Amino acid sequence: QVQLVESGGGLVQPGGSLRLSCAASGSIFSIYAMGWYRQAPGKQRELVAVITRGGSTNYADSVKGRFTISRDNAKNTVYLQMNSLKPEDTAVYSCYANSGPTIFDIPRHWGQGTQVTVSS
């Protein structure tokens, strides 16, 4: 089993920044890619960003140029740096991990979710 623990959500003003962290433990050898989905009230869940074990990344068009996903393999942790935040980025952000073989394989494990609110 894989356990994912998220941290870093909160309230920020438009234009501000936040960094989310997702630490993996357990059967981490089975993880191929990690990333975040988000879901706002009344909206469909959206894949925000994902990164593979080898460092390949993919972003939603809505966050390209503003969000950066990275990973520290030594710490088994993935980070989502969110800059130039907009009110429409407000959502519950959930970390996930898949087992491959592709970057877009279905999530197998989920974190607990963290609220990000962008408001003045």
Side-chain angles (χ1 to χ4, degrees):
Q1 270 292 359
V2 172
Q3 293 79 43
L4 303 176
V5 177
E6 304 176 44
S7 60
L11 172 65
V12 64
Q13 292 187 340
S17 298
L18 280 176
R19 188 177 81 156
L20 304 183
S21 300
C22 180
S25 62
S27 303
I28 57 174
F29 62 87
S30 67
I31 296 174
Y32 176 73
M34 292 176 64
W36 272 270
Y37 276 88
R38 68 184 180 186
Q39 188 163 24
K43 294 188 176 181
Q44 282 193 326
R45 189 173 65 182
E46 176 186 30
L47 176 59
V48 178
V50 57
I51 185 168
T52 68
R53 195 165 47 210
S56 297
T57 59
N58 192 275
Y59 296 91
D61 287 342
S62 58
V63 307
K64 282 180 181 176
R66 300 188 298 121
F67 291 12
T68 302
I69 191 169
S70 61
R71 66 189 297 161
D72 184 335
N73 287 335
K75 295 182 179 180
N76 300 316
T77 299
V78 173
Y79 305 96
L80 184 67
Q81 178 67 43
M82 305 185 292
N83 299 328
S84 302
L85 282 160
K86 304 175 181 180
E88 51 263 44
D89 294 317
T90 296
V92 174
Y93 286 69
S94 298
C95 174
Y96 77 95
N98 74 29
S99 300
T102 74
I103 192 171
F104 295 117
D105 240 47
I106 60 170
R108 294 288 300 274
H109 310 282
W110 290 95
Q112 77 275 20
T114 187
Q115 177 69 45
V116 171
T117 302
V118 185
S119 175
S120 55

